[in-house]
Amino acid sequence: MKKIAVCTDRGMWFTFVFGAFVYGALEIAWRGYTHPAMLLLGGGCLAYIYRSEKRLCHKLTFVWRNTLYAVLITLSELIAGLLLNVWLKLDIWDYSGLPLNLCGQICLFFSALWFVLSVVCCFVCKAVRFVFSE
């Protein structure tokens, strides 16, 4: 019988849960509501940044890492938007009223916001790594 691989990285699990709750809270503060799928997206993005920071912190400059994270968050938002909003018609968000948007799912304004947020995320990940001594 095959064993199921389970991630035992406590820091990564913490960042996933923390990212889910904080992103959900930010969405509620920003627009008054959120969707459960956004909790998964927020947690997944922060967990990805946590794992990447471990590998990339000595290979790329801080600015390049955060640019990469902003691009990856934007791509995650595009994929989630096409799946949830366009294909499943859940209409969770719509950026079509904002300039420089793509299919109403991503826009330049929020990509820039993801860059700023990724800077904060890097410091959160560093603190989590310190707390969990990783």
Side-chain angles (χ1 to χ4, degrees):
M1 181 191 288
K2 273 189 161 182
K3 289 186 177 183
I4 297 175
V6 177
C7 178
T8 58
D9 186 340
R10 295 177 305 150
M12 192 183 74
W13 284 111
F14 178 83
T15 55
F16 178 83
V17 172
F18 183 77
F21 281 109
V22 169
Y23 185 74
L26 286 172
E27 270 214 325
I28 290 170
W30 183 271
R31 57 186 198 149
Y33 64 96
T34 191
H35 187 274
M38 297 302 92
L39 303 178
L40 295 174
L41 189 60
C45 287
L46 186 58
Y48 178 81
I49 291 171
Y50 177 79
R51 293 291 287 210
S52 297
E53 272 297 286
K54 203 173 198 177
R55 294 183 183 133
L56 297 177
C57 68
H58 300 294
K59 295 179 182 173
L60 294 174
T61 66
F62 190 71
V63 172
W64 279 113
R65 288 193 322 264
N66 286 290
T67 301
L68 174 67
Y69 300 148
V71 168
L72 291 171
I73 293 168
T74 300
L75 288 175
S76 299
E77 184 180 35
L78 177 62
I79 293 166
L82 292 174
L83 176 70
L84 299 169
N85 294 330
V86 176
W87 190 49
L88 295 176
K89 301 193 185 319
L90 295 179
D91 297 323
I92 300 169
W93 72 88
D94 182 6
Y95 298 152
S96 59
L98 296 173
L100 302 172
N101 75 81
L102 179 63
C103 303
Q105 303 310 304
I106 58 173
C107 69
L108 187 59
F109 171 77
F110 279 98
S111 293
L113 194 61
W114 301 146
F115 178 87
V116 173
L117 190 60
S118 70
V119 170
V120 174
C121 290
C122 286
F123 290 109
V124 167
C125 291
K126 187 174 185 176
V128 169
R129 190 160 280 111
F130 177 77
V131 169
F132 287 101
S133 298
E134 295 177 2

